[in-house]
Amino acid sequence: MGSRKEPVYFQSFLKNTGSRPITLMFVTKGIDFLEGYIQGSRLQFLPQIGTVQPLCKRIYPTNFLIYTFTLEPGKTNRLFLRVKENNYKLSLSPFYLFEKTAGQQFISKQTLYQHLYVGGMMLMLCFGIALMLLFRSSLYFLYSACVSTSLMVMLMQNEYYYYWTSAIPEIVYNKDVFGILVVSIAICYFFFTKEFLKINKPSDQFWLKIGYVLIAILLILLITTYIADLRLFELRAVFYPFLDGLFLVTLLFAVKSFRRKYKPAWLFAFATVPVIVIGFIESLSNWHQIASSQLFNAYYVGTLWEMFLLTLGIAYRFYLDQLQLLRVKETQYRVEMQTRHEERERMARDLHDKMGALLSAIRLNVGLLKKMSSENMKDVFDQTDQMLLLASEECRNIAHNIYPAALLQLGLLEMITEMYGQIESPKFTIHSEGFEKDRLETVMEVTLYSIIQETINNIFKHAEAKEVTIQLTWYKKQINLIIEDDGRGFEPSLVKKRGMGLQSMKRRVAIMNGKMEIDSKPGRGTIILVKINYSGGRTSRFLS
């Protein structure tokens, strides 16, 4: 029927074919202004009702518009209605005519459905708030924002505010509040989709920027209408293209997630598509005759379905994240066990190759001493003494490699300065930042020391370097270690499988929640970068 300022008139003829009077109930919804009369044996004027009238002044405290009237037996009566819609296009709303008892049952049933919707959304909102407080994640904050804004639309449209007050602000009465809520839902849902579907890869950046531009345009339009004191609801057609564009970007993110075989994307699609379809139909309200009340009823069912599935999706996503965390911990445990096994193997080799040979030689010398005369024993004694001294030195070296006592006493920075600071070929340069007052935890210092020692040993063996730079920085919750040399360099891909030392270093870094990168080419030296996220405590250098 189009958008018009003046009222529209309807009439219908009703006849009571019974033998006694009957009381009927006329029920409709989604109309701002309604009044009329029943013309029969006598004229019955129907009171003015609509959204401008508080619930306490209506026959039933409901957002349905209700007339009750009596039809005399055997008489034909004319029902005459004067209808006005201030905001939405006036479409043929569903008009129901019941016998009074059946009408009351209809109202009770519809009210129950509304309360179930509100109760369900409130439960999901409490669920989202609990997750937000427990895990401090933006995903749960955005989920709660989507639930709360969707719930607000339903409460406003069904006039729940009349349960608390009759002093309704102009922005609610003229329905401009719906424009603000719908824009808020679209923005919250965009960011929720980004977090829920993990849209953060480089290939996603273009469409993310498109989404940010659409959001910026919507916010500018909102601010402009407020500053210019314009009717937001009357200008809603200006917002629809940008809202639809934002929803299309959201669907595109779901398609990307399908291609990446991200399982929660299926739940997201089943949840989102019905509501987006309803939103598209609503945006075309000037080209169809679907009543706004029917669209809103479909929207309520759609959002309840959507939020229920998204709640399942969040629970399923949480399960997948926990499962992945368990797998990471299992992998770290295996890596740690492998590293310990390699350490034991190295210790066994050292003991067998060095200590075993020395002890065997000492044993032979002791056997010779038994057979020799006293005047020939001095040289063998001296030789045996030197072997014992060498064995003692090897034991100290092995113990030093396992857990260097000097490291515990001096700390990582002073330890590497003492070990490499005086060497002239290659020339070592050591820089540090953040280690001046405090020390790391022992496990972290031993790990970094082992990585530095393994790297320097490789430089001594293979690099033929003239200069080596060691940089250690500790800022807030991140430790960076850079070891750079100007030696021969190598091709990392060629030693990826054969370089057991490098693999051992990477495993150590992974155990400490870090990453290790190698930048090297034959003829231009090597750079090893280690980044470790460190949230451990600090130990005073002066108390260690």
Side-chain angles (χ1 to χ4, degrees):
M1 298 179 190
S3 299
R4 58 182 71 187
K5 299 297 183 181
E6 65 278 5
V8 176
Y9 299 88
F10 296 93
Q11 68 175 347
S12 178
F13 291 92
L14 306 172
K15 183 176 182 180
N16 180 2
T17 59
S19 59
R20 53 183 183 171
I22 59 173
T23 301
L24 299 180
M25 179 180 286
F26 171 81
V27 181
T28 188
K29 185 182 179 183
I31 294 175
D32 289 319
F33 175 86
L34 181 65
E35 65 178 352
Y37 59 87
I38 299 292
Q39 186 178 27
S41 57
R42 61 187 178 86
L43 196 62
Q44 301 179 52
F45 284 98
L46 303 177
Q48 176 184 319
I49 57 175
T51 57
V52 296
Q53 189 177 29
L55 295 179
C56 61
K57 295 182 179 180
R58 302 182 189 179
I59 299 175
Y60 296 97
T62 174
N63 63 305
F64 281 91
L65 306 182
I66 302 168
Y67 283 142
T68 56
F69 52 89
T70 302
L71 292 182
E72 298 297 331
K75 301 288 185 180
T76 299
N77 298 267
R78 184 174 69 157
L79 174 63
F80 186 84
L81 297 176
R82 182 170 177 262
V83 180
K84 186 176 180 182
E85 179 66 272
N86 294 323
N87 296 286
Y88 280 106
K89 175 184 176 182
L90 183 59
S91 301
L92 188 61
S93 297
F95 295 154
Y96 302 101
L97 193 63
F98 298 98
E99 190 275 327
K100 185 176 181 180
T101 303
Q104 291 172 337
Q105 292 175 350
F106 173 80
I107 295 298
S108 298
K109 186 182 296 184
Q110 295 298 317
T111 304
L112 175 62
Y113 291 154
Q114 291 179 8
H115 292 342
L116 286 175
Y117 174 89
V118 174
M121 294 292 279
M122 287 296 295
L123 284 175
M124 286 183 275
L125 180 59
C126 292
F127 173 73
I129 292 173
L131 290 176
M132 181 177 62
L133 294 175
L134 283 173
F135 298 104
R136 308 285 181 176
S137 171
S138 60
L139 173 69
Y140 305 125
F141 170 79
L142 292 167
Y143 168 80
S144 302
C146 290
V147 174
S148 59
T149 48
S150 298
L151 180 59
M152 284 295 294
V153 170
M154 188 272 180
L155 295 178
M156 291 290 180
Q157 180 65 22
N158 288 280
E159 305 169 74
Y160 272 73
Y161 45 78
Y162 273 134
Y163 286 108
W164 293 280
T165 179
S166 298
I168 306 303
E170 179 68 19
I171 193 173
V172 176
Y173 171 69
N174 62 24
K175 292 186 170 60
D176 283 352
V177 68
F178 290 112
I180 298 172
L181 288 173
V182 169
V183 171
S184 301
I185 290 173
I187 294 174
C188 291
Y189 206 73
F190 172 82
F191 286 106
F192 172 79
T193 303
K194 175 179 175 293
E195 293 292 324
F196 182 79
L197 298 179
K198 298 183 177 180
I199 304 296
N200 52 13
K201 298 183 180 298
S203 59
D204 302 328
Q205 296 307 309
F206 173 77
W207 290 107
L208 282 173
K209 290 178 181 177
I210 295 293
Y212 297 150
V213 170
L214 291 172
I215 289 172
I217 293 173
L218 288 170
L219 292 176
I220 291 171
L221 288 174
L222 275 180
I223 295 170
T224 303
T225 53
Y226 175 77
I227 294 174
D229 196 22
L230 300 173
R231 280 294 316 281
L232 180 60
F233 203 87
E234 292 179 354
L235 296 174
R236 62 188 184 276
V238 178
F239 288 78
Y240 283 146
F242 305 106
L243 288 169
D244 292 343
L246 202 57
F247 286 132
L248 284 175
V249 173
T250 301
L251 288 177
L252 179 65
F253 288 160
V255 173
K256 283 178 170 286
S257 295
F258 291 147
R259 292 178 178 175
R260 293 167 187 164
K261 298 181 179 179
Y262 184 55
K263 293 181 180 179
W266 289 102
L267 274 173
F268 179 86
F270 286 131
T272 302
V273 170
V275 176
I276 290 181
V277 170
I278 295 168
F280 277 126
I281 294 174
E282 203 277 335
S283 68
L284 300 174
S285 58
N286 288 331
W287 291 277
H288 62 67
Q289 290 294 321
I290 301 175
S292 60
S293 59
Q294 293 176 312
L295 279 176
F296 272 100
N297 286 338
Y299 171 77
Y300 304 145
V301 175
T303 52
L304 188 60
W305 166 260
E306 176 186 38
M307 292 304 163
F308 174 71
L309 286 186
L310 289 180
T311 302
L312 295 180
I314 283 179
Y316 182 53
R317 186 180 183 274
F318 181 79
Y319 165 76
L320 292 179
D321 289 344
Q322 292 300 308
L323 189 63
Q324 184 179 6
L325 182 61
L326 287 175
R327 288 173 179 169
V328 169
K329 288 183 177 179
E330 182 181 353
T331 302
Q332 289 180 344
Y333 175 76
R334 290 179 179 177
V335 168
E336 185 177 357
M337 292 298 102
Q338 179 66 23
T339 303
R340 290 182 180 179
H341 177 68
E342 292 175 358
E343 288 292 325
R344 292 191 183 103
E345 285 188 339
R346 184 182 61 79
M347 291 166 55
R349 286 196 303 269
D350 289 345
L351 289 171
H352 179 271
D353 297 342
K354 298 176 181 178
M355 291 298 297
L358 286 172
L359 293 174
S360 296
I362 292 171
R363 186 170 179 274
L364 289 174
N365 281 359
V366 171
L368 288 174
L369 289 173
K370 292 180 180 179
K371 300 176 182 179
M372 296 178 65
S373 59
S374 57
E375 60 271 13
N376 297 325
M377 287 184 179
K378 184 178 184 305
D379 292 339
V380 179
F381 266 121
D382 291 340
Q383 186 181 22
T384 304
D385 182 63
Q386 291 296 319
M387 287 181 180
L388 288 171
L389 182 63
L390 184 59
S392 176
E393 183 69 19
E394 287 298 334
C395 283
R396 189 190 71 80
N397 289 337
I398 292 173
H400 184 76
N401 287 332
I402 296 172
Y403 217 80
L407 177 62
L408 297 179
Q409 181 179 0
L410 299 175
L412 177 64
L413 183 59
E414 293 186 17
M415 180 71 176
I416 62 174
T417 302
E418 183 177 302
M419 289 181 64
Y420 305 116
Q422 305 302 320
I423 298 176
E424 295 184 357
S425 181
K427 177 67 175 177
F428 281 82
T429 304
I430 300 172
H431 299 290
S432 70
E433 183 178 348
F435 292 83
E436 291 75 14
K437 295 181 179 180
D438 301 322
R439 286 180 56 178
L440 301 168
E441 293 177 335
T442 302
V443 174
M444 181 61 71
E445 287 195 341
V446 171
T447 300
L448 291 171
Y449 171 75
S450 301
I451 294 169
I452 293 171
Q453 191 180 45
E454 181 70 34
T455 303
I456 299 304
N457 286 340
N458 288 337
I459 291 173
F460 284 151
K461 290 179 183 178
H462 309 295
E464 299 179 4
K466 296 181 180 179
E467 293 186 2
V468 179
T469 302
I470 302 174
Q471 297 183 42
L472 265 171
T473 60
W474 178 13
Y475 181 69
K476 291 186 177 179
K477 293 185 178 182
Q478 180 163 304
I479 297 172
N480 293 335
L481 168 64
I482 302 175
I483 304 175
E484 182 177 3
D485 69 75
D486 61 351
R488 296 167 56 187
F490 62 95
E491 185 60 51
S493 60
L494 299 179
V495 297
K496 187 174 183 180
K497 296 182 179 180
R498 294 181 298 163
M500 297 303 295
L502 292 176
Q503 295 302 312
S504 176
M505 289 162 57
K506 287 187 174 181
R507 282 194 289 268
R508 289 176 184 271
V509 173
I511 290 173
M512 302 308 293
N513 191 28
K515 295 181 180 180
M516 176 175 151
E517 299 177 6
I518 301 172
D519 181 14
S520 183
K521 290 289 182 183
R524 68 171 182 85
T526 301
I527 300 175
I528 291 182
L529 171 62
V530 175
K531 295 181 178 180
I532 298 178
N533 295 323
Y534 177 69
S535 57
R538 292 172 176 259
T539 303
S540 174
R541 300 177 62 85
F542 305 105
L543 296 178
S544 59

